[in-house]
Protein backbone atom coordinates (compact mmCIF):
# COMPACT_ATOMS: atom_id res chain seq x y z
CA UNK A 1 0.00 0.00 0.00
CA UNK A 2 1.03 3.60 -0.44
CA UNK A 3 1.42 5.60 2.77
CA UNK A 4 1.62 9.33 3.47
CA UNK A 5 3.69 9.93 6.62
CA UNK A 6 3.03 13.39 8.08
CA UNK A 7 5.63 13.99 10.79
CA UNK A 8 7.64 17.12 11.61
CA UNK A 9 10.33 15.37 13.68
CA UNK A 10 13.00 14.64 11.03
CA UNK A 11 14.71 11.86 12.97
CA UNK A 12 11.47 10.00 13.72
CA UNK A 13 10.22 10.58 10.19
CA UNK A 14 13.38 9.14 8.66
CA UNK A 15 13.34 6.07 10.91
CA UNK A 16 9.66 5.29 10.33
CA UNK A 17 9.87 5.88 6.57
CA UNK A 18 12.92 3.61 6.31
CA UNK A 19 11.19 0.89 8.33
CA UNK A 20 8.05 1.07 6.19
CA UNK A 21 10.04 0.91 2.97
CA UNK A 22 11.90 -2.13 4.27
CA UNK A 23 8.46 -3.71 4.75
CA UNK A 24 7.63 -3.02 1.07
CA UNK A 25 5.42 0.03 1.60
CA UNK A 26 5.63 2.99 -0.77
CA UNK A 27 6.09 6.06 1.46
CA UNK A 28 5.77 9.79 0.84
CA UNK A 29 6.82 12.10 3.65
CA UNK A 30 5.41 15.52 4.62
CA UNK A 31 6.87 17.61 7.45
CA UNK A 32 4.21 20.35 7.51
CA UNK A 33 0.47 20.90 7.15
CA UNK A 34 1.09 22.60 3.80
CA UNK A 35 3.20 19.72 2.43
CA UNK A 36 0.59 17.20 3.55
CA UNK A 37 -2.14 19.23 1.88
CA UNK A 38 -0.17 19.36 -1.38
CA UNK A 39 0.38 15.60 -1.34
CA UNK A 40 -3.29 14.91 -0.64
CA UNK A 41 -4.33 17.03 -3.60
CA UNK A 42 -2.58 14.78 -6.10
CA UNK A 43 -2.44 11.27 -4.61
CA UNK A 44 -5.07 8.86 -3.33
CA UNK A 45 -3.22 7.19 -0.45
CA UNK A 46 -4.13 3.86 1.05
CA UNK A 47 -3.20 5.13 4.52
CA UNK A 48 -2.22 8.52 5.94
CA UNK A 49 -0.20 8.47 9.18
CA UNK A 50 -0.90 11.89 10.61
CA UNK A 51 0.87 13.74 13.41
CA UNK A 52 -1.36 16.33 15.05
CA UNK A 53 1.26 18.83 16.26
CA UNK A 54 2.52 20.33 13.02
CA UNK A 55 4.56 23.56 12.88
CA UNK A 56 2.12 25.41 10.60
CA UNK A 57 -1.23 24.01 11.65
CA UNK A 58 -3.14 21.41 13.63
CA UNK A 59 -3.36 17.95 12.10
CA UNK A 60 -6.82 17.62 13.64
CA UNK A 61 -8.05 20.40 11.35
CA UNK A 62 -6.60 18.58 8.34
CA UNK A 63 -8.29 15.37 9.48
CA UNK A 64 -11.66 17.14 9.61
CA UNK A 65 -11.11 18.66 6.17
CA UNK A 66 -10.56 15.25 4.62
CA UNK A 67 -14.22 14.45 5.23
CA UNK A 68 -15.58 17.19 2.99
CA UNK A 69 -12.91 19.12 1.07
CA UNK A 70 -13.30 18.03 -2.55
CA UNK A 71 -9.87 19.46 -3.33
CA UNK A 72 -8.24 16.76 -1.20
CA UNK A 73 -8.15 13.07 -2.09
CA UNK A 74 -9.22 11.31 1.09
CA UNK A 75 -7.02 8.33 2.05
CA UNK A 76 -8.77 4.98 2.42
CA UNK A 77 -7.67 4.91 6.06
CA UNK A 78 -6.16 7.43 8.49
CA UNK A 79 -3.95 6.63 11.48
CA UNK A 80 -3.22 9.42 13.95
CA UNK A 81 0.28 9.19 15.47
CA UNK A 82 0.75 11.75 18.23
CA UNK A 83 2.06 12.46 21.71
CA UNK A 84 -1.41 13.66 22.77
CA UNK A 85 -2.42 10.79 25.02
CA UNK A 86 -5.38 12.11 27.00
CA UNK A 87 -8.68 10.30 26.56
CA UNK A 88 -10.25 13.52 25.29
CA UNK A 89 -7.58 13.80 22.60
CA UNK A 90 -8.19 10.23 21.44
CA UNK A 91 -11.93 10.80 21.33
CA UNK A 92 -11.46 14.02 19.35
CA UNK A 93 -9.17 12.32 16.85
CA UNK A 94 -11.50 9.37 16.27
CA UNK A 95 -14.56 11.61 16.08
CA UNK A 96 -12.77 13.81 13.54
CA UNK A 97 -12.47 10.82 11.21
CA UNK A 98 -9.37 8.85 12.20
CA UNK A 99 -9.63 5.08 11.81
CA UNK A 100 -7.05 4.43 14.53
CA UNK A 101 -4.97 6.32 17.08
CA UNK A 102 -1.39 5.52 18.14
CA UNK A 103 0.36 7.37 20.98
CA UNK A 104 4.06 8.25 20.93
CA UNK A 105 6.42 6.77 21.87
CA UNK A 106 5.49 3.53 20.14
CA UNK A 107 7.15 0.31 19.03
CA UNK A 108 7.56 -0.06 15.28
CA UNK A 109 6.11 -3.58 15.46
CA UNK A 110 2.86 -2.14 16.80
CA UNK A 111 2.74 0.44 14.02
CA UNK A 112 3.16 -2.34 11.44
CA UNK A 113 0.41 -4.43 13.06
CA UNK A 114 -1.97 -1.47 13.02
CA UNK A 115 -1.19 -0.72 9.36
CA UNK A 116 -1.82 -4.35 8.42
CA UNK A 117 -5.12 -4.25 10.30
CA UNK A 118 -6.14 -1.02 8.56
CA UNK A 119 -5.24 -2.53 5.20
CA UNK A 120 -7.56 -5.47 5.90
CA UNK A 121 -10.45 -3.39 7.19
CA UNK A 122 -13.41 -3.52 4.84
CA UNK A 123 -11.69 -6.10 2.65
CA UNK A 124 -12.32 -9.81 2.44
CA UNK A 125 -8.62 -10.53 2.86
CA UNK A 126 -6.82 -11.71 5.96
CA UNK A 127 -3.09 -11.59 6.73
CA UNK A 128 -2.56 -14.66 4.53
CA UNK A 129 -3.40 -14.09 0.85
CA UNK A 130 -4.03 -17.00 -1.51
CA UNK A 131 -4.66 -16.85 -5.25
CA UNK A 132 -4.38 -20.14 -7.12
CA UNK A 133 -1.10 -21.75 -6.04
CA UNK A 134 0.28 -18.41 -4.81
CA UNK A 135 0.45 -17.70 -1.09
CA UNK A 136 1.60 -14.46 0.53
CA UNK A 137 1.99 -13.94 4.27
CA UNK A 138 1.78 -10.20 4.87
CA UNK A 139 2.89 -10.35 8.51
CA UNK A 140 5.85 -12.68 7.98
CA UNK A 141 6.74 -10.98 4.68
CA UNK A 142 7.01 -14.30 2.82
CA UNK A 143 5.66 -15.50 -0.51
CA UNK A 144 5.40 -18.98 -2.00
CA UNK A 145 4.25 -20.59 -5.19
CA UNK A 146 3.15 -24.22 -5.06
CA UNK A 147 4.84 -24.42 -1.66
CA UNK A 148 8.22 -23.18 -2.94
CA UNK A 149 9.64 -20.05 -1.31
CA UNK A 150 9.99 -17.01 -3.57
CA UNK A 151 13.03 -14.77 -3.06
CA UNK A 152 11.55 -11.33 -3.76
CA UNK A 153 12.90 -7.82 -3.32
CA UNK A 154 10.80 -5.34 -1.34
CA UNK A 155 9.38 -3.82 -4.54
CA UNK A 156 8.60 -7.20 -6.08
CA UNK A 157 6.86 -8.28 -2.87
CA UNK A 158 4.80 -5.07 -2.81
CA UNK A 159 3.85 -5.52 -6.45
CA UNK A 160 2.76 -9.12 -5.94
CA UNK A 161 0.81 -8.13 -2.82
CA UNK A 162 -1.07 -5.47 -4.78
CA UNK A 163 -1.93 -7.92 -7.55
CA UNK A 164 -3.11 -10.47 -4.98
CA UNK A 165 -5.44 -7.89 -3.45
CA UNK A 166 -7.00 -7.47 -6.91
CA UNK A 167 -7.08 -10.92 -8.55
CA UNK A 168 -8.70 -10.99 -11.98
CA UNK A 169 -8.75 -7.20 -12.24
CA UNK A 170 -6.88 -5.36 -14.99
CA UNK A 171 -4.39 -2.96 -13.38
CA UNK A 172 -2.86 -0.22 -15.47
CA UNK A 173 0.75 0.92 -15.15
CA UNK A 174 -0.66 4.11 -13.60
CA UNK A 175 -2.51 2.07 -10.94
CA UNK A 176 0.70 0.27 -10.06
CA UNK A 177 2.74 3.47 -9.92
CA UNK A 178 0.22 5.13 -7.64
CA UNK A 179 -0.04 2.29 -5.11
CA UNK A 180 3.32 0.48 -5.21
CA UNK A 181 5.77 3.32 -5.95
CA UNK A 182 6.24 6.60 -4.08
CA UNK A 183 6.45 10.21 -5.23
CA UNK A 184 10.11 9.79 -6.21
CA UNK A 185 9.16 7.43 -9.03
CA UNK A 186 9.52 8.81 -12.54
CA UNK A 187 6.28 8.01 -14.42
CA UNK A 188 8.11 8.23 -17.73
CA UNK A 189 10.58 5.44 -16.98
CA UNK A 190 10.15 1.73 -17.62
CA UNK A 191 10.29 0.98 -13.88
CA UNK A 192 6.96 -0.84 -13.74
CA UNK A 193 7.79 -2.99 -16.75
CA UNK A 194 11.26 -3.86 -15.45
CA UNK A 195 10.11 -4.86 -11.94
CA UNK A 196 7.12 -6.71 -13.34
CA UNK A 197 9.34 -8.64 -15.74
CA UNK A 198 11.59 -9.70 -12.84
CA UNK A 199 8.59 -10.72 -10.76
CA UNK A 200 7.13 -12.80 -13.58
CA UNK A 201 10.45 -14.55 -14.04
CA UNK A 202 10.62 -15.44 -10.36
CA UNK A 203 7.02 -16.66 -10.33
CA UNK A 204 7.92 -19.17 -13.05
CA UNK A 205 5.62 -21.20 -15.30
CA UNK A 206 2.83 -21.36 -16.11
CA UNK A 207 2.54 -17.54 -16.18
CA UNK A 208 0.01 -16.09 -13.73
CA UNK A 209 0.35 -12.39 -14.57
CA UNK A 210 -0.84 -11.68 -18.09
CA UNK A 211 -0.62 -8.56 -20.24
CA UNK A 212 -3.90 -7.07 -21.43
CA UNK A 213 -3.13 -5.13 -24.60
CA UNK A 214 -3.57 -1.36 -24.26
CA UNK A 215 -5.03 -1.78 -20.76
CA UNK A 216 -2.51 -3.18 -18.28
CA UNK A 217 -1.84 -6.40 -16.41
CA UNK A 218 -3.94 -9.03 -14.68
CA UNK A 219 -3.26 -11.67 -12.05
CA UNK A 220 -5.25 -14.68 -13.12
CA UNK A 221 -7.31 -15.91 -10.19
CA UNK A 222 -9.15 -19.16 -9.62
Amino acid sequence: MRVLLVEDDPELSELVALGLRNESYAVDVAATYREAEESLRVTAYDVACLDLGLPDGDGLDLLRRLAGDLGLRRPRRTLVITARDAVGDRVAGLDAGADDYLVKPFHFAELMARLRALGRRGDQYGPLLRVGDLELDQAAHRARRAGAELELTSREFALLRYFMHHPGRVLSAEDLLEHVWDANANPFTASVRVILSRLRRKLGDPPVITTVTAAGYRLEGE
Side-chain angles (χ1 to χ4, degrees):
M1 66 175 74
R2 188 162 176 181
V3 175
L4 175 63
L5 175 61
V6 185
E7 172 58 60
D8 66 324
D9 182 328
E11 183 175 350
L12 177 60
S13 177
E14 183 178 357
L15 287 172
V16 172
L18 178 61
L20 291 176
R21 288 171 181 141
N22 286 340
E23 293 291 332
S24 304
Y25 289 81
V27 185
D28 296 335
V29 177
T32 66
Y33 187 111
R34 185 183 183 88
E35 289 177 4
E37 189 178 41
E38 290 172 354
S39 295
L40 290 164
R41 289 191 187 282
V42 298
T43 303
Y45 291 95
D46 297 294
V47 178
C49 296
L50 179 62
D51 186 15
L52 299 184
L54 300 172
D56 57 343
D58 192 331
L60 202 59
D61 293 334
L62 181 58
L63 189 58
R64 294 191 184 101
R65 283 184 57 198
L66 290 173
D69 190 333
L70 297 180
L72 301 179
R73 304 180 70 179
R74 186 174 185 175
R76 290 180 64 242
R77 303 287 178 226
T78 306
L79 169 62
V80 167
I81 303 178
T82 180
R84 301 179 189 175
D85 60 352
V87 172
D89 292 321
R90 299 184 194 211
V91 170
L94 294 169
D95 283 347
D99 295 285
D100 200 356
Y101 197 102
L102 180 62
V103 175
K104 300 176 183 175
F106 56 87
H107 290 284
F108 185 75
E110 182 181 1
L111 171 61
M112 287 306 308
R114 288 174 183 265
L115 287 176
R116 289 193 295 269
L118 287 174
R120 294 193 301 269
R121 192 175 296 180
D123 292 333
Q124 69 269 37
Y125 306 105
L128 191 63
L129 305 179
R130 289 190 179 93
V131 178
D133 62 356
L134 287 172
E135 182 179 284
L136 187 143
D137 188 328
Q138 301 183 88
H141 210 267
R142 301 176 71 177
R144 302 179 183 86
R145 183 173 188 189
E149 196 84 16
L150 299 172
E151 297 296 330
L152 304 179
T153 66
S154 293
R155 188 74 71 194
E156 291 161 358
F157 184 90
L159 188 57
L160 179 59
R161 179 173 56 196
Y162 191 68
F163 271 110
M164 291 181 71
H165 272 93
H166 304 88
R169 175 179 155 188
V170 177
L171 303 173
S172 68
E174 290 75 19
D175 287 331
L176 300 176
L177 272 172
E178 183 162 32
H179 291 279
V180 182
W181 276 258
D182 59 28
N184 295 318
N186 185 342
F188 302 105
T189 67
S191 180
V192 170
R193 192 177 71 248
V194 170
I195 300 298
L196 184 56
S197 176
R198 290 196 332 221
L199 175 61
R200 280 169 154 169
R201 187 165 59 250
K202 291 183 179 182
L203 290 175
D205 293 320
V208 289
I209 298 177
T210 58
T211 299
V212 180
T213 304
Y217 311 93
R218 179 172 55 218
L219 176 66
E220 303 297 342
E222 295 182 1

